[in-house]
Amino acid sequence: MSYLRLFWVLMRIGLLNEMAYRANFYFQVLQSLLSLATALGSLAVVFAHTTSLGGWQPAELVALLGVYQVMSGLIGLVIQPSMERLMEDVRRGTLDFTLTKPEDAQLLVSVGEVQMWKLVDVGIGLMVLGTALVQLGIGLGLAQALTFGVALLAGATIVYSFWLILAACSFWFVKVENILMIFQGVYEAGRWPVGMYPRWLRAALTFVVPVAFAVTVPAEAVVGRLTWPVLGLALGLALGMLVGARVFWKWGLRHYSGASA
Amino acid sequence: MKGLGDIYATLCRTAAAVQLQYRAELLIWLIWAVVQPVVYLIVWLTVAKAQGGRVGGFTGGEFAAYYIAVMLVNHITFTWVMHEFEYRIRSGSFSPLLLQPLHPIHRDLVENVVYKALTLTVLLPVAGLLGWFFEPQAHPQPWAVAAFVPALVMAFAVRFLVEWALALSAFWTTRVGACNQLYFAVLLFLSGRMAPLELMPSWVQTLASVLPFRWVLSFPVELILGRLTPEEAQAGFAAQGAWLALGLGLVALVWRRGLRQYGAVGA
């Protein structure tokens, strides 16, 4: 329980820090709307020439887009800034300050930096998702909402573990910021259902860079396409990767030599 | 007094030496060049399959050729000056460049060309691999292949000048992120990167032809795929020439105005 409380305290500090820069809020709204407009534009162009894409109806793809935006928001809110900060701290040796604190270091670095305005992405994503569901005529029942929540949480956990493992690589190779570029570059592919891709690419998007579990699976849950085995696999992978990331983090930490070394 | 040629040769050597230090970085940035065209290619292949093999004037193989060409042409013509200038001006690191007796555009040009030369050694094999996998089809006439090279050079020149001029807007506001994003969103649709312009609504096609966007990417691609008549190619070169002149004028104008605006950090 104290972990959760610490998590909230760290989140709140991050939020308060960013409250000082209110103009950023408007820029974030502008940028989020622009990226939404771009994505909807792409869908409009594609659906001017077809009625369904890989078995997905237009409104279902809009729902997928909403999930994509929500997940982007969650990544941008805390995962990406914290992991970038972690790598920077390792490079400059300032991770020492975190390690000397009497709390679990992994928790401290995982909420090391919060970019609150990214919540705008989450909000807009949820609105898009809601609109799509109304269009589809899907009333979100309690069971379905719960499945969606679980799938989203599993997806976020998988993405977090993946980033932590990559960021922990900085204990060995000091300059790895660019590895994260791989994730961002590939994440774009998640705007479309992964079932559309050829098999080798689908496998890569599922297990090498876990875009499928981050976006497609929660979207499948919300439009009622998700099968139980897939949800089970997502949960299993989330748990496995969380443990794996923890072990890898501990192992990497032993290689950290600090600022003065 | 050394000529511009010597200066360029020296700049080339230093740029290559600097960039070769970060070989892994060069490779990783290429992911961005590859992922987007491949994703859109697969989207359109899926659509083509659902529509019985073709969409508009494109078969699956022609889509493959289109997006592989888009990947290469976009890589050759793209610039990163718009991102760079935001940082340069906000951080004040632009000041030392201004002290040099050389217009900074030369250095940017050399760095861009050197980067392209280095990375094409990897991107060309990647294009070959994609070609082997997606089986592209194109039937260009010999004249079109010959015309492709000058069209590509002109496309690069126009895009470089236009984006350099736009990047200078950072002189007036230090928050150009949103403006840049708007530009790239428009570029995505109007340059043919998202979909061949043929498949776009006619008002988008008109807009793309009036603005520089078609001429910096779609035009060389259409040319090498053999989708243009000689008359259309001529009109394309004329448009590129017009935008080249306009771009040069724009850079000169904005540069002179902008320098007066520039208050360096610490100045």
Side-chain angles (χ1 to χ4, degrees):
Chain A
M1 208 54 217
S2 75
Y3 274 152
L4 261 182
R5 225 184 57 227
L6 188 60
F7 178 79
W8 277 121
V9 171
L10 289 169
M11 280 294 262
R12 230 181 48 227
I13 295 173
L15 296 186
L16 289 174
N17 268 333
E18 240 201 310
M19 283 290 253
Y21 308 98
R22 286 190 203 173
N24 283 357
F25 170 76
Y26 298 102
F27 282 97
Q28 184 60 51
V29 170
L30 205 65
Q31 297 199 328
S32 300
L33 287 179
L34 204 55
S35 87
L36 178 68
T38 311
L40 287 177
S42 307
L43 285 186
V45 171
V46 168
F47 282 105
H49 296 278
T50 185
T51 48
S52 84
L53 187 72
W56 290 63
Q57 305 304 313
E60 290 178 316
L61 275 184
V62 174
L64 181 89
L65 206 63
V67 175
Y68 177 87
Q69 197 103 358
V70 170
M71 190 56 86
S72 307
L74 291 178
I75 293 172
L77 176 72
V78 58
I79 300 179
Q80 182 180 355
S82 300
M83 291 304 134
E84 277 171 358
R85 166 119 177 234
L86 166 62
M87 288 186 295
E88 177 76 7
D89 279 346
V90 171
R91 201 163 58 82
R92 298 177 20 179
T94 40
L95 188 65
D96 294 9
F97 299 122
T98 310
L99 295 180
T100 48
K101 287 180 185 158
E103 286 292 344
D104 184 68
Q106 186 189 337
L107 181 67
L108 290 176
V109 302
S110 299
V111 202
E113 189 145 344
V114 182
Q115 294 196 341
M116 177 176 65
W117 303 131
K118 292 288 173 192
L119 280 174
V120 170
D121 265 331
V122 177
I124 289 181
L126 286 176
M127 277 191 267
V128 171
L129 185 61
T131 314
L133 288 182
V134 170
Q135 277 230 311
L136 284 167
I138 297 178
L140 204 57
L142 186 65
Q144 212 169 1
L146 211 63
T147 333
F148 171 63
V150 169
L152 199 66
L153 194 67
T157 308
I158 291 169
V159 171
Y160 161 71
S161 310
F162 182 77
W163 277 67
L164 183 64
I165 290 171
L166 283 187
C169 286
S170 59
F171 289 125
W172 289 275
F173 318 101
V174 173
K175 205 165 181 286
V176 290
E177 295 103 286
N178 285 296
I179 293 185
L180 296 182
M181 289 291 154
I182 298 181
F183 179 83
Q184 285 177 309
V186 176
Y187 182 66
E188 283 232 355
R191 276 181 207 272
W192 308 90
V194 289
M196 183 188 76
Y197 296 107
R199 191 168 303 149
W200 55 275
L201 201 56
R202 206 182 318 156
L205 289 175
T206 310
F207 295 110
V208 184
V209 183
V211 173
F213 288 108
V215 183
T216 307
V217 171
E220 282 176 340
V222 84
V223 299
R225 286 166 169 267
L226 192 62
T227 54
W228 288 108
V230 176
L231 185 64
L233 187 62
L235 278 176
L237 192 71
L239 208 64
M241 278 189 72
L242 197 60
V243 173
R246 174 83 181 168
V247 171
F248 191 73
W249 158 262
K250 288 263 180 198
W251 183 40
L253 214 48
R254 272 187 268 138
H255 284 260
Y256 175 67
S257 44
S260 52
Chain B
M1 194 62 188
K2 283 193 164 187
L4 205 56
D6 290 325
I7 294 176
Y8 264 66
T10 311
L11 283 178
C12 268
R13 273 197 304 275
T14 32
V18 168
Q19 291 179 19
L20 276 174
Q21 276 185 324
Y22 305 106
R23 284 178 293 265
E25 215 171 299
L26 289 183
L27 283 183
I28 285 167
W29 280 107
L30 278 184
I31 290 202
W32 291 77
V34 177
V35 169
Q36 198 183 45
V38 169
V39 167
Y40 283 123
L41 167 58
I42 292 169
V43 168
W44 285 110
L45 285 179
T46 314
V47 176
K49 207 193 280 169
Q51 298 294 309
R54 60 187 306 130
V55 184
F58 281 85
T59 64
E62 284 166 347
F63 272 124
Y66 181 84
Y67 279 103
I68 292 172
V70 161
M71 178 181 85
L72 289 172
V73 172
N74 184 55
H75 182 72
I76 289 170
T77 61
F78 94 101
T79 79
W80 53 90
V81 286
M82 296 178 75
H83 303 294
E84 181 97 6
F85 257 96
E86 183 184 11
Y87 170 76
R88 266 182 192 166
I89 289 179
R90 207 183 35 196
S91 67
S93 64
F94 195 48
S95 307
L97 288 179
L98 283 176
L99 286 177
Q100 296 179 345
L102 182 73
H103 198 298
I105 199 170
H106 295 296
R107 187 181 288 270
D108 283 346
L109 180 65
V110 169
E111 279 179 8
N112 195 302
V113 171
V114 168
Y115 175 78
K116 305 298 176 55
L118 291 178
T119 44
L120 269 180
T121 55
V122 181
L123 200 62
L124 282 174
V126 170
L129 215 65
L130 291 176
W132 167 77
F133 187 78
F134 288 107
E135 298 170 357
Q137 284 171 356
H139 315 283
Q141 302 280 325
W143 69 264
V145 178
F148 172 70
V149 178
L152 185 64
V153 173
M154 286 289 275
F156 170 73
V158 169
R159 187 164 174 185
F160 185 82
L161 289 171
V162 168
E163 292 187 358
W164 215 80
L166 285 176
L168 289 182
S169 62
F171 275 131
W172 283 272
T173 163
T174 45
R175 309 283 303 256
V176 290
C179 303
N180 286 354
Q181 204 190 341
L182 181 64
Y183 171 82
F184 288 115
V186 173
L187 184 80
L188 178 71
F189 291 102
L190 294 194
S191 70
R193 235 165 92 190
M194 194 257 132
L197 288 172
E198 272 181 66
L199 300 181
M200 291 287 193
S202 59
W203 62 272
V204 173
Q205 295 185 27
T206 314
L207 210 57
S209 303
V210 174
L211 295 172
F213 295 105
R214 182 175 175 204
W215 314 115
V216 300
L217 177 60
S218 180
F219 173 61
V221 171
E222 291 167 44
L223 201 56
I224 190 74
L225 297 189
R227 303 185 78 88
L228 294 180
T229 63
E231 291 74 36
E232 286 170 324
Q234 268 174 13
F237 278 112
Q240 282 188 325
W243 273 105
L244 187 70
L246 216 63
L248 278 170
L250 207 62
V251 165
L253 182 76
V254 183
W255 177 247
R256 222 169 324 120
R257 289 274 172 87
L259 271 190
R260 270 184 250 142
Q261 278 288 328
Y262 179 57
V265 174

